[in-house]
Amino acid sequence: SKQTLNGRTLAVQITGEEIRIARAVRGGAGQLQDLTVIPTPQGAVEDGELRDVDALRQAMEPVLKADPFRRCRRAALLVCSPQIISESVTVPAVRKRQRLGQMLRANMDMYFPVNPADYHLTWQIEGREKTDDGVESLRVRLWAVPLALLKSCYALFNAMGIGVSMVGYCGYAAAMAAGAAFGEP
C-alpha cells in the first residue's frame, strides 16, 4: 500500500546467500532505490528460515545505521522458503473481506495437510467466476506460512528497532513482477 511503502520503509530480502536491502520510493509503486547487497552469514538462513538471528543482526546493523537507511524504521520483507505452501481454490463469493478470511481459516485443514495452529494463512483474490446458472464464486490464492518462520523475521527486525509493515512471499512477488498469473499444474 502507499502508506506501507514510503521513503522511510526498507524493502528486505534475506536468502541463504545474500541479504538485499533497499528503500521504497515515496509514491513510486514497486520502485526501490539505494539497493545494497551483503553476504548472509554462513548457516544463518536455512530453507528460508532465519536460524541465527544474532548473526544476521550483526551483519545488517552497520548497513542499517548508515546513510541512506539510518532513518528507516519500518520494513517490508520478502520471504523465500520452500516451507511456504500455496494452493489455488474456488470458494463462494462473499461481500466482506473479513467474512472471506473467516471462511478460509475455518477450512484451512481442507486446503493444506498441516496443523492450522502452526501456520499463518494469507490470501489474495485472483478473480471472479460465474457458473452457467449465475452463481458467483471467487478464485483465491492461499499461502500457509509456518509461524516459526514469521516469528524469526519479526524477532530480527524488532531486535534492530525496526517494525515490520508487511511480509510478501517470493513465488507470488516474482509472478506479479513478471505480469504472470498462477496456473494449475
Side-chain angles (χ1 to χ4, degrees), residues 24-86:
V25 175
R26 185 179 302 268
Q31 296 178 18
L32 303 174
Q33 62 187 19
D34 302 316
L35 176 64
T36 301
V37 180
I38 59 174
T40 300
Q42 190 165 359
V45 177
E46 186 177 313
D47 284 338
E49 188 172 342
L50 309 184
R51 300 282 180 155
D52 191 342
V53 170
D54 289 332
L56 289 165
R57 184 183 50 74
Q58 289 173 11
M60 293 174 67
E61 268 188 333
V63 173
L64 298 179
K65 287 184 177 180
D67 283 332
F69 305 118
R70 66 182 172 86
R71 295 180 63 211
C72 297
R73 291 288 161 245
R74 307 291 300 159
L77 308 179
L78 182 58
V79 178
C80 302
S81 173
Q83 297 178 45
I84 299 169
I85 51 180
S86 181

Side-chain angles (χ1 to χ4, degrees), residues 3-137:
Q3 198 172 39
T4 301
L5 298 177
N6 61 44
R8 291 190 183 177
T9 301
L10 298 169
V12 181
Q13 179 184 14
I14 301 172
T15 67
E17 294 78 38
E18 64 186 17
I19 302 167
R20 300 172 68 84
I21 304 167
R23 279 188 317 119
V25 175
R26 185 179 302 268
Q31 296 178 18
L32 303 174
Q33 62 187 19
D34 302 316
L35 176 64
T36 301
V37 180
I38 59 174
T40 300
Q42 190 165 359
V45 177
E46 186 177 313
D47 284 338
E49 188 172 342
L50 309 184
R51 300 282 180 155
D52 191 342
V53 170
D54 289 332
L56 289 165
R57 184 183 50 74
Q58 289 173 11
M60 293 174 67
E61 268 188 333
V63 173
L64 298 179
K65 287 184 177 180
D67 283 332
F69 305 118
R70 66 182 172 86
R71 295 180 63 211
C72 297
R73 291 288 161 245
R74 307 291 300 159
L77 308 179
L78 182 58
V79 178
C80 302
S81 173
Q83 297 178 45
I84 299 169
I85 51 180
S86 181
E87 183 69 46
S88 184
V89 299
T90 302
V91 296
V94 294
R95 290 188 178 169
K96 293 185 178 182
R97 187 165 176 83
Q98 179 182 2
R99 176 74 178 120
L100 175 61
Q102 291 169 344
M103 181 174 56
L104 294 171
R105 281 189 288 279
N107 294 311
M108 185 176 171
D109 60 339
M110 291 177 17
Y111 308 131
F112 299 109
V114 298
N115 180 354
D118 297 333
Y119 282 77
H120 172 72
L121 179 70
T122 189
W123 66 92
Q124 176 71 37
I125 298 172
E126 294 183 317
R128 295 180 177 274
E129 299 175 347
K130 272 192 178 179
T131 62
D132 293 337
D133 15 341
V135 176
E136 192 171 330
S137 58

